[in-house]
């Protein structure tokens, strides 16, 4: 053969060696790429530990956000707006939570806001030229809270230059629809999914399927629960037990440590209600024995349900000093039912915020029977934290399996009611004002 | 009525007693008396358990919901009476609520127009249901479920996918939430008037008798020259108008419309009608019995909720009481039928059927012009 002898042969052997080395390098690179891809595809589902991360370091840049730089004052303002209080310090928050809040409260251009608004009426929306596709999978989708949260996630997606498309699917409260939606997202090979899971653990197997296909899932608000640690990257929510403690503590302050209280929650046995009710009751027993829990009712989280439950409570003839509930929108129904019955409205402690509730409260402050109201943030930022966690996971960072944020309760004060906003406006959000105005004026 | 033929030698009081004992009257009263006896028994138990039930607060908050249930159940009873079933009730109430707030809840909106539009929305659904079920002979169960889906879809589209949460005008909220006396809601008064009107129309007018005849047996009605299909289709239309009325009142009581506004009435109206002694296969209509069924259902729902016991136990108790109530009303009616059968076979010359038997139209002689029945 030519390459065996003479200078020409030596050159040929050198060239062959270089070519071989090149091929090896290419092969190694390809294998490396392949393994990193595989790592990425299984990292969300393989771990049963309390944290997960994507193993690809080369991928980190393509999932990185445009850096958000906030001054200390801006950061404090964002957190104050998110939690309605400045008592939550940035250092006390998980980095993923802080990142999600900062991205949600970041600055966005008018064009981006306009695009985000137009996305609200589309199931598939193009927000940029990037190749990545973010999917928002909503188990219900049929109320203003979900739509604001959806808008907040879409807005935040602009912080990630490689996200070019946002898909939004809502299941309308139907488990089969949600499972079919998830399968369609898998078939479309989306980059990642953030989901509000209205069906709890029933969706775990479907999430597992997505994770096995290399599509990570992060749940916020409604979550599949502790049994789904390997099925989803992370679950974003407040601690139900800590919320119950907070509600009990706030109630005790309002009642001066004695009185009768009633607990209202949505569907019987829902983990959220069961969580806060148990802990609130324990807190009362331990710290405020003068407060008795004399009634527990279910409303199915519907207006008619809240009216029926309140009506039944009134029929018992028991004196109720405070009602603790986990949805401000229907605390309105509770208050109005008491007003129809011409009875003094008990003090109200409720999750989330509602403009009409604040209006009712403000109107009654000048009446002979003023009542107290404590409420929390409307926590529309849950989805923002979920997106930050999803992208951090894809970028190979470690994300804890549960991202728990605090839920402080604040007492209503004059000025909290905003007459320029519609009845069900959810109070302060981190959305750009222009986008929130569009959303609220549409409603 | 021939069985209560005048007997001049009797005094007025003995005549009345005789009429009350008359098998025909007993036959007519039994389907109403039994559900009322059961409902009133539960009312007594409720008052013993929760005396505040009849205080102003209890009455003022329960009676509006009872009124809405009564009105919606009256509509359902018309359809069930003809052997059909209407599963569009929840969607009609929802879309009516949505249409109402879209007109009345926006700046410059009019409550009157809101009521008109809302009634028209319900009317449209009733016309479609009646046409599909009676003229195209489609299954009422699937048809009304499907039209309900369409209505729910339209409500979602018009209401921005549920993001809207418009508030009902204050004046309408005050009217539906207001009460008089010891807390009797005006909504309940409207419901009682509706029930009374329906009773009078069904029992004392030619229209009502034809409707009853067409509902209970369309073939027999056809032999009498009654256009049964038209009357049966009209049942769906009147039912939808009643659901619309219920929806208009209900949205005022709740204060805002949501896409799940009418969900609670999907099955509760059927339960109320059946508790009133109606057979799902079709039977003579007794609005008063339907009112009793609705009262019973409202009371049991409230009592169980007020008990404060665990949700699972509540379900067990509620289910068991409902079965017991069904058995009581069903047995009462069966006994009445048996007694009537025995009497008929024992009597040597067969007595003419009572004027108000299910085929009321024939009993007055002319199939097309039944005329007013005897009291």
């Amino acid at each position: 053969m030519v390459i065996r002898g003479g200078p020409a042969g030596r050159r040929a052997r050198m060239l062959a060696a270089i070519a071989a080395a090149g091929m090896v390098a290419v092969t190694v690179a390809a294998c490396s790429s392949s393994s990193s891809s595989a790592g990425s595809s299984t990292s969300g589902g393989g771990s049963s530990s309390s944290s997960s991360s994507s193993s690809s370091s080369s991928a980190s840049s393509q999932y990185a956000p445009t850096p958000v730089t906030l001054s200390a004052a801006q950061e404090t303002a964002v957190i104050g707006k998110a939690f309605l209080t400045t008592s939550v310090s940035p250092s006390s928050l998980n980095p993923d939570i802080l990142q999600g809040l900062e991205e949600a409260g970041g600055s966005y251009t008018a064009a981006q806001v306009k695009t985000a608004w137009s996305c609200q009426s589309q199931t598939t929306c193009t927000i940029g030229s990037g190749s990545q596709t973010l999917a928002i999978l909503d188990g219900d989708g049929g109320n203003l809270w979900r739509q604001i949260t959806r808008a907040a996630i879409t807005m935040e997606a602009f912080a990630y230059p490689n996200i070019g498309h946002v898909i939004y699917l809502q299941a309308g409260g139907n488990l089969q629809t949600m499972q079919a939606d998830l399968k369609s997202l898998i078939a479309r090979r989306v980059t990642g999914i953030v989901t509000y899971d209205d069906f709890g653990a029933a969706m775990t197997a479907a999430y597992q399927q997505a994770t096995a296909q290399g599509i990570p899932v992060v749940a916020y608000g409604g979550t599949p629960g502790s049994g789904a640690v390997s099925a989803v990257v992370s679950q974003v929510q407040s601690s139900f037990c800590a919320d119950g403690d907070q509600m009990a503590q706030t109630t005790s302050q309002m009642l001066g440590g004695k009185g009768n209280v009633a607990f209202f929650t949505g569907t019987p046995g829902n983990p959220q209600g069961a969580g806060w009710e148990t802990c609130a009751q324990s807190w009362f027993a331990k710290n405020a024995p003068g407060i008795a829990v004399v009634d527990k009712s279910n409303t199915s989280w519907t207006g008619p349900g809240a009216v029926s439950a309140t009506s039944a409570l009134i029929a018992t003839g028991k004196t109720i000093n405070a009602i603790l509930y986990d949805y401000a929108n229907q605390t309105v129904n509770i208050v109005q039912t008491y007003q129809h019955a011409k009875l003094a409205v008990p003090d109200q402690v409720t999750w989330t915020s509602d403009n009409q509730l604040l209006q009712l409260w403000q109107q009654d402050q000048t009446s002979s029977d003023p009542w107290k109201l404590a409420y929390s943030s409307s926590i529309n930022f849950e989805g923002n934290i979920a997106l930050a966690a999803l992208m951090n996971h894809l970028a190979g960072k470690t994300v804890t399996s549960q991202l728990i944020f605090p839920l402080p309760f604040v007492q209503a004060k004059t000025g909290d009611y905003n007459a320029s906003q519609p009845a069900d406006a959810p109070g302060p959000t981190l959305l750009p004002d222009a986008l929130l105005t569009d959303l609220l004026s549409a409603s | 009525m021939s069985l209560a033929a005048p007997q001049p030698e009797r005094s007025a009081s003995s005549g009345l007693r005789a009429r009350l004992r008359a098998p025909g009257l007993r036959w007519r009263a039994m389907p109403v008396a039994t559900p009322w006896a059961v409902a009133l028994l539960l009312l007594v138990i409720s008052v013993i358990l929760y005396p505040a039930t009849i205080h102003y607060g209890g009455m003022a908050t329960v009676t509006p919901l009872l009124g809405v249930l009564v009105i919606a159940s009256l509509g359902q009873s018309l359809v069930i009476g003809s052997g059909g079933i209407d599963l569009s009730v929840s969607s009609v109430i929802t879309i009516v609520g949505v249409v109402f707030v879209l007109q009345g809840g926006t700046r410059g909106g009019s409550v009157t127009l809101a009521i008109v539009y809302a009634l028209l929305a319900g009317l449209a659904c009733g016309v479609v249901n009646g046409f599909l079920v009676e003229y195209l002979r489609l299954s009422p169960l699937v048809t009304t479920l499907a039209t309900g889906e369409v209505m729910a879809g339209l409500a979602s589209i018009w209401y921005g996918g549920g993001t809207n949460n418009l508030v009902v005008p204050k004046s309408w909220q005050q009217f539906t939430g207001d009460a008089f006396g010891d807390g009797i809601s005006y909504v309940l008064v409207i419901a009682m008037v509706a029930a009374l009107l329906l009773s009078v129309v069904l029992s004392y007018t030619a229209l009502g008798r034809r409707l009853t005849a067409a509902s209970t047996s369309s073939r027999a009605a056809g032999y009498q020259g009654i256009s049964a299909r038209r009357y049966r289709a009209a049942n769906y239309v009147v039912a939808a108008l009643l659901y619309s009325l219920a929806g208009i009142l209900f949205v005022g009581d709740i204060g805002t419309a949501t896409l799940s506004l009418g969900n609670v009435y999907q099955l509760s109206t059927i339960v109320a009608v059946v508790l009133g002694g109606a057979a799902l296969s079709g039977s003579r209509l007794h609005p008063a019995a339907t009112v009793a069924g609705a009262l019973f259902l409202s009371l049991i729902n409230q009592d169980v909720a007020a008990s404060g016991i665990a949700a699972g136990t509540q379900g067990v108790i509620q289910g068991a009481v409902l079965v017991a109530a069904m058995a009581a009303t069903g047995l009462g009616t069966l006994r009445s039928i048996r007694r009537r059968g025995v009497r008929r076979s024992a009597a040597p010359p067969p007595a003419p059927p009572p004027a108000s038997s299910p085929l009321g139209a024939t009993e007055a002689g002319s199939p097309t012009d039944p005329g007013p029945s005897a009291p």
Side-chain angles (χ1 to χ4, degrees), chain A residues 142 147 311 315 329 333 423-424 443, chain B residues 52 61-62 161 163-165 167 254 302:
Chain A
Q147 293 304 316
S311 173
N329 189 260
N333 297 112
D424 60 344
S443 76
Chain B
T61 55
V62 170
T163 56
N164 282 306
N165 203 355
V167 177
I254 299 301
Q302 176 169 291

Side-chain angles (χ1 to χ4, degrees), chain B residues 75-281:
Chain B
Q76 186 70 264
S77 75
L78 285 170
V79 177
I80 287 179
S82 65
I85 197 159
D86 196 341
L87 296 183
S88 66
V89 53
S90 61
S91 300
V92 172
I93 289 176
T94 299
I95 200 166
V96 159
V98 166
V99 168
F100 186 91
V101 294
L102 283 175
Q103 167 55 225
T106 48
R107 196 164 292 172
S110 150
V111 171
T112 312
L113 272 182
I115 291 173
V116 172
Y117 291 164
L119 287 173
L120 285 175
L123 182 70
C125 187
V127 169
V128 171
N129 279 340
F131 176 76
L132 293 176
V133 173
E134 293 302 334
Y135 286 88
L136 299 188
R137 302 210 177 276
L138 302 181
S139 155
L141 192 140
V142 178
T143 302
T144 54
L145 193 64
T147 52
E149 286 289 314
V150 172
M151 299 304 263
L154 286 174
S156 176
I157 293 166
W158 293 342
Y159 212 38
T163 56
N164 282 306
N165 203 355
L166 297 169
V167 177
V168 174
K170 275 273 172 261
S171 58
W172 192 250
Q173 278 195 52
Q174 275 165 359
F175 171 69
T176 53
D178 213 353
F180 66 93
D182 287 334
I184 306 293
S185 162
Y186 291 110
V187 175
L188 184 61
V189 174
I190 293 171
M192 291 301 114
V193 170
L196 191 66
L197 271 176
L198 198 59
S199 296
V200 169
V201 168
L202 288 173
S203 298
Y204 299 105
T205 69
L207 176 75
R209 289 173 156 275
R210 288 182 196 137
L211 197 71
T212 303
S215 294
T216 45
S217 171
S218 55
R219 183 175 291 181
Y223 291 150
Q224 298 153 34
I226 297 173
S227 175
R229 210 160 47 175
R230 194 191 309 159
Y231 282 97
R232 291 168 69 91
N235 275 337
Y236 285 90
V237 178
V238 178
L241 282 172
L242 285 166
Y243 307 150
S244 305
L245 177 61
I248 290 166
L249 296 167
F250 191 44
V251 76
D253 190 47
I254 299 301
T256 183
T258 63
L259 293 180
S260 60
L261 183 72
N263 286 6
V264 72
Y265 294 105
Q266 180 78 305
L267 289 178
S268 61
T269 52
I270 298 169
V271 174
V273 174
V274 175
L275 276 173
L280 286 173
S281 53

Side-chain angles (χ1 to χ4, degrees), chain A residues 364-371:
Chain A
D364 278 1
Q365 293 317 293
T366 51
S367 72
S368 55
D369 278 318
W371 45 281

